[in-house]
Amino acid sequence: MAGTSTKTVHDIFQNMEYGSSSTSTATAQAWLEKHSRILGFFIDGKFLSPADRQTHDVTDSNAVVCSTVCAKDEDVASAASSAAGALKTWSELSCYQRAKVLLKLASVLQRHSQCVSELCELSQSSVSPAVLIRLTQYYASWAQLRDTLMPEWIPQGVVAVVVSDDCSVYFLLLKVLPALAMGNTVIVVPGKTTTLPALLLAQLFLEAGIPAGVLNVITGSEASLGAKVAQNPQVNYLTYSGRQETGEALAKAVAGWGVPMSFSLSFSSVCPFIIFDSADLDSAVDGVIELAFKKKRDFQWVLCVQESVLDSVVARLKLRMTGMKCVPLATEAERSLIDTAVQEAQQQGATLMQSCPPVSTGALYPPTVLCGLAPSCQSVISPPPGPVLPLISFRSSAEGVTLGNHSPYGQTASIWTEDLTLALESAKSLCVGSVWVNFHSVMDPALPLCGRRESGNCTDGGREGLYQFLRPSLSPSFPRSSPSSINYADFGSAASKFMIPEGFDPSSVPRFYSHFVGGQLRKADSGCSRSVLAPGSAVLAHCPDGGRKDVRNAVEAAIKVQPGWMKKSPAARSQSLYSLADSLDKRRRDLAVSIQTQTGISLEEAEKEVELSVSRLSDWAARCDKEQGGNPFLPQSGSTLLTSEALGVLGVILPNTKPLLSLVSLLGAALAMGNAVIMVPSEKCPLPALEFIQVLQASDIPGGLVSIITGGRDQLTHAFANHSVIQSIWYWGSKEGCQFLQYSCVSPLKRLWLNCEEEEEREAGQNWTSSNPSLQEELWRKAVVWKSIWIPTA
């Protein structure tokens, strides 16, 4: 018969050519045709396509599919004005009304699932509509429960959601949906792969009944456009998902504009795939094949195999890779990067295992395993893009966990073993946000994705991921501002210092204080001191003028003791904090006098502050074993564990107000959750913190767990920002200090809690005397990170 193919079934399966996409994308093409293949912005519930804008072509297999419009400043202003205008309407709807819109969206997604699927595939951001429907239904339920379970929390306001070019639709909606569910309005700046799906989803939101202006989508260069959106004075919060380099550029462009920022840098993350000798090797190798050689991966992977089964794993890999086709790359530039990385690895002694010889040119590369690499090899630290998998070996289980923690990232890990005890111990020891046991790449919105170290400074998903889009109603908002002119390299270097002259008579001032580092009193490494002044400018005492070396010494002491403190049972930590509260109670008179002398308030008021401080420490002692994770319910089979873990070493710049009560409130939260703390007392009121050193010495808090360093606030802030071990900084200080930290703390990435004290003093600021539960909850949530462990069942 004419036109009949002569290929047999055997020929077709041997060749496995990619089929034509013209039939499969008919629905998506119809939607594009409806918009004349020129997609503009979605602002105030309408599609807009101004005629004088630059356009960007979206291509598929080298053919232009459509064009998108690049936004200008006036488009950003229009989107921000639309979102701000709709905020009151959306946030004042009842929880039921907001939930109803999101539930309707789930139905609309179901009805248009074919178009959504095809448009995502066309954009090289494939995702199952069923996954998006589950995501929408999950956050619809949280929209319903917000006022019931979070009555003291309010929305951030207008939220800017920015994603990089290779971010998937799932991770985009993992930001957008919780923001909307909590009552915020959203401006989306999508990347190349999410532009078309984001515009389609905006239309579906409108069909679901979302009020005009609640969701806006503007397109263009994600970093520069995202910065322009965040700089708009009507935007209250910025959250980003994608690659590290784009996130760094965005953070530096927005620093100083008074916008809180959070970053999920999962697409730069290097994650370990660990195979122990007790694993089902066939299943583990199948997992490697499925995960490592896909056309598009959410993470970069490094294969870690125990030496006793290394030969068996390599033999199985070689067998499974036989006959596998070359994998298409995103661009030809990726091919050049892969060739360079493979050549460098071979020069360092690596051996290649490939499914077939690489083609001479073009954006294709065969599945490749780099065997025999050292952990210090560049291909292990930063694996090349594409279907290239570094393989390293380890001897013992402990060494395997150490290799898993070798990367500066901490997004996720996949571990393979039939030994449940080994699985749980390894999962607990890995410094990552998610651990999959005997499987991989399964996600559900009920469990959080929490980036550790360079993988992010926020939590997405689960109840825990909602709080980045909320703030306590009694907590002051971050004040908007314009950036100051700051020399970031020299920030804090102009601190005034006073050298103690030879022959100086110590009796001429009431007292010389020392730093408290490593459980001991120490002088400043610089040998300098600064005066402690009373409200009338009389010199009360001298204290050390600390610097970078003092911070380094404090961090060295902290990292020796913090792991042991974190591993203590919550009950044991609780008893230590009760001991600290008891020690404080015994010295209440001395501390009240120091507060009165330093601040000028009455002795009665000072005694009330000490009384509240004792009570606050006792509160944190009682909460030590109350704030735990749980076992969330999931739609698929298997068991899950959700645990809260300590951040590690925290740097705290203390406020001027309530110098003792603010100290114990922050210290109690950090210690109760298992952290070590380096505290810098207020320059204006350091005396109560220095007197508190004797309280620490009389308690059974381990030496080195808490350090107190006095000195110039800016100088010590600079030292905190540049130290890679300090995982989080809680800062009360100047607008310039907030700007410096936002600019500097993206490399190395830190979790920031910034408070502009100049503005807070004008507007009442943090109410340290309040016992409102939301303020206490905010404190402990700032002190922990979350880990989810997935364990499959038959």
Side-chain angles (χ1 to χ4, degrees):
M1 184 182 295
T4 301
S5 172
T6 58
K7 291 184 179 180
T8 66
V9 172
H10 179 268
D11 293 335
I12 294 171
F13 274 92
Q14 287 297 312
N15 192 23
M16 292 295 285
E17 293 176 345
Y18 289 101
S20 171
S21 61
S22 59
T23 303
S24 63
T25 58
T27 306
Q29 298 291 0
W31 183 78
L32 292 172
E33 287 291 347
K34 182 180 177 182
H35 291 272
S36 303
R37 296 191 177 271
I38 299 179
L39 296 171
F41 320 121
F42 186 82
I43 298 176
D44 202 26
K46 300 183 292 290
F47 280 98
L48 305 175
S49 184
D52 60 339
R53 303 293 189 266
Q54 290 184 344
T55 59
H56 170 76
D57 290 339
V58 178
T59 61
D60 175 43
S61 302
N62 299 319
V64 176
V65 174
C66 66
S67 298
T68 58
V69 179
C70 299
K72 287 186 175 181
D73 291 350
E74 52 264 41
D75 304 312
V76 171
S78 178
S81 177
S82 173
L87 178 61
K88 188 173 187 297
T89 302
W90 181 245
S91 61
E92 290 183 355
L93 289 179
S94 69
C95 290
Y96 167 73
Q97 289 171 312
R98 283 195 299 272
K100 187 177 179 181
V101 171
L102 294 180
L103 284 172
K104 179 72 178 298
L105 176 64
S107 300
V108 173
L109 279 170
Q110 179 71 47
R111 191 162 61 250
H112 296 281
S113 59
Q114 183 182 354
C115 185
V116 171
S117 177
E118 292 169 357
L119 203 63
C120 289
E121 187 176 347
L122 195 66
S123 304
Q124 299 181 1
S125 182
S126 299
V127 63
S128 168
V131 172
L132 302 185
I133 292 167
R134 159 67 180 156
L135 199 62
T136 306
Q137 291 171 337
Y138 178 78
Y139 284 111
S141 63
W142 274 116
Q144 177 72 47
L145 296 172
R146 195 201 77 179
D147 288 351
T148 303
L149 299 181
M150 308 167 189
E152 302 294 336
W153 295 75
I154 60 175
Q156 292 277 12
V158 178
V159 174
V161 177
V162 184
V163 298
S164 66
D165 284 343
D166 49 3
C167 181
S168 69
V169 177
Y170 179 85
F171 285 98
L172 171 64
L173 286 185
L174 203 56
K175 297 283 191 182
V176 171
L177 288 172
L180 293 173
M182 294 299 101
N184 302 276
T185 56
V186 176
I187 302 172
V188 177
V189 181
K192 291 179 182 177
T193 58
T194 51
T195 294
L196 301 186
L199 290 168
L200 172 61
L201 288 168
Q203 180 177 317
L204 300 185
F205 266 105
L206 191 64
E207 187 177 332
I210 199 167
V214 173
L215 178 66
N216 303 273
V217 181
I218 53 176
T219 54
S221 172
E222 77 281 352
S224 59
L225 183 57
K228 289 178 182 178
V229 171
Q231 290 165 6
N232 188 286
Q234 294 176 300
V235 174
N236 306 105
Y237 185 77
L238 167 67
T239 183
Y240 167 83
S241 183
R243 289 201 169 272
Q244 185 174 17
E245 54 270 23
T246 308
E248 286 183 15
L250 182 62
K252 292 180 177 181
V254 179
W257 287 92
V259 181
M261 296 183 279
S262 64
F263 297 89
S264 301
L265 306 179
S266 58
F267 292 88
S268 303
S269 296
V270 179
C271 306
F273 190 106
I274 305 174
I275 302 178
F276 293 105
D277 57 6
S278 53
D280 178 346
L281 298 185
D282 289 319
S283 297
V285 169
D286 286 344
V288 171
I289 297 295
E290 293 168 4
L291 188 67
F293 304 136
K294 296 191 297 186
K295 182 179 178 181
K296 183 176 175 63
R297 297 181 292 180
D298 290 331
F299 315 115
Q300 299 288 341
W301 291 92
V302 173
L303 179 59
C304 308
V305 182
Q306 196 156 3
E307 281 186 357
S308 55
V309 293
L310 178 62
D311 292 341
S312 298
V313 169
V314 169
R316 284 172 167 81
L317 273 173
K318 188 177 295 185
L319 181 64
R320 291 283 279 108
M321 289 170 61
T322 302
M324 291 182 68
K325 292 167 41 178
C326 288
V327 177
L329 306 176
T331 62
E332 292 196 14
E334 281 193 1
R335 172 63 188 270
S336 178
L337 290 173
I338 293 173
D339 288 337
T340 302
V342 169
Q343 185 177 4
E344 181 182 341
Q346 286 180 299
Q347 290 172 354
Q348 294 177 352
T351 57
L352 280 170
M353 185 165 62
Q354 294 181 316
S355 62
C356 60
V359 294
S360 56
T361 57
L364 293 169
Y365 204 79
T368 302
V369 178
L370 300 175
C371 304
L373 292 173
S376 59
C377 179
Q378 184 62 30
S379 293
V380 174
I381 298 171
S382 180
V388 179
L389 179 67
L391 186 154
I392 53 179
S393 60
F394 59 89
R395 291 182 290 274
S396 65
S397 301
E399 186 181 345
V401 172
T402 302
L403 282 180
N405 289 327
H406 176 66
S407 166
Y409 302 97
Q411 184 67 41
T412 190
S414 179
I415 58 178
W416 294 74
T417 175
E418 298 294 295
D419 184 338
L420 183 59
T421 301
L422 174 61
L424 293 177
E425 286 297 323
S426 301
K428 187 177 180 180
S429 302
L430 286 167
C431 188
V432 296
S434 300
V435 180
W436 294 308
V437 178
N438 294 332
F439 71 131
H440 61 84
S441 302
V442 178
M443 296 181 187
D444 189 88
L447 274 185
L449 290 169
C450 184
R452 304 283 291 272
R453 299 186 290 188
E454 295 296 306
S455 290
N457 60 6
C458 67
T459 302
D460 296 319
R463 177 175 181 169
E464 293 70 27
L466 299 173
Y467 286 92
Q468 64 175 311
F469 303 110
L470 296 168
R471 62 180 180 87
S473 57
L474 298 180
S475 181
S477 60
F478 201 59
R480 289 307 306 255
S481 60
S482 298
S484 303
S485 178
I486 295 178
N487 184 333
Y488 294 104
D490 294 335
F491 181 79
S493 61
S496 60
K497 297 182 179 180
F498 169 72
M499 293 291 294
I500 301 174
E502 292 185 11
F504 178 75
D505 182 10
S507 63
S508 61
V509 294
R511 186 169 179 181
F512 273 83
Y513 285 93
S514 300
H515 288 157
F516 185 62
V517 175
Q520 299 176 343
L521 297 174
R522 297 186 184 181
K523 294 181 179 179
D525 191 83
S526 63
C528 300
S529 72
R530 48 197 306 127
S531 299
V532 179
L533 303 178
S537 298
V539 176
L540 296 174
H542 284 297
C543 62
D545 195 0
R548 177 177 55 85
K549 291 184 179 179
D550 300 296
V551 171
R552 180 198 64 193
N553 294 336
V555 170
E556 288 177 356
I559 58 179
K560 290 177 182 177
V561 69
Q562 189 270 333
W565 175 254
M566 181 178 65
K567 290 177 181 177
K568 274 190 171 185
S569 69
R573 291 202 300 268
S574 175
Q575 291 306 309
S576 294
L577 285 177
Y578 276 126
S579 164
L580 185 62
D582 183 58
S583 178
L584 175 59
D585 191 37
K586 290 175 181 176
R587 293 189 57 83
R588 63 168 58 229
R589 181 70 181 178
D590 294 340
L591 282 157
V593 170
S594 74
I595 293 171
Q596 180 196 30
T597 305
Q598 179 78 91
T599 62
I601 64 175
S602 68
L603 184 60
E604 183 181 0
E605 286 182 88
E607 288 175 340
K608 286 181 180 178
E609 182 173 343
V610 177
E611 178 67 30
L612 270 173
S613 300
V614 174
S615 176
R616 188 64 51 81
L617 269 179
S618 299
D619 286 346
W620 285 115
R623 292 181 74 137
C624 275
D625 57 355
K626 309 300 186 296
E627 310 296 355
Q628 300 297 319
N631 185 13
F633 296 103
L634 299 177
Q636 59 263 51
S637 63
S639 300
T640 56
L641 299 174
L642 178 62
T643 62
S644 59
E645 294 186 351
L647 285 164
V649 180
L650 275 62
V652 181
I653 312 291
L654 291 167
N656 293 327
T657 54
K658 299 292 181 185
L660 180 63
L661 181 58
S662 60
L663 182 152
V664 299
S665 297
L666 298 170
L667 178 67
L671 294 184
M673 299 301 114
N675 300 284
V677 189
I678 303 170
M679 310 194 88
V680 175
S682 158
E683 285 185 87
K684 185 179 176 182
C685 305
L687 205 58
L690 293 168
E691 289 290 342
F692 187 75
I693 291 173
Q694 296 183 48
V695 176
L696 287 166
Q697 289 177 310
S699 72
D700 62 0
I701 297 293
L705 192 67
V706 180
S707 294
I708 297 178
I709 302 174
T710 55
R713 182 174 60 192
D714 290 347
Q715 182 181 6
L716 293 171
T717 297
H718 193 287
F720 281 176
N722 288 337
H723 204 297
S724 60
V725 173
I726 295 176
Q727 295 297 307
S728 180
I729 298 176
W730 299 353
Y731 179 85
W732 276 261
S734 66
K735 180 172 76 72
E736 291 77 16
C738 293
Q739 177 178 335
F740 170 77
L741 288 171
Q742 284 191 318
Y743 184 92
S744 304
C745 291
V746 286
S747 183
L749 185 67
K750 301 186 189 303
R751 292 170 180 262
L752 298 178
W753 186 13
L754 303 179
N755 300 268
C756 185
E757 197 164 42
E758 299 162 352
E759 295 292 332
E760 288 188 7
E761 287 174 355
R762 294 194 203 106
E763 302 175 8
Q766 187 97 21
N767 185 2
W768 294 105
T769 60
S770 173
S771 58
N772 188 283
S774 66
L775 296 177
Q776 303 300 310
E777 184 174 11
E778 181 183 34
L779 276 172
W780 80 261
R781 287 189 179 278
K782 297 287 186 184
V784 299
V785 287
W786 296 93
K787 176 180 287 183
S788 54
I789 303 172
W790 298 65
I791 305 171
T793 55

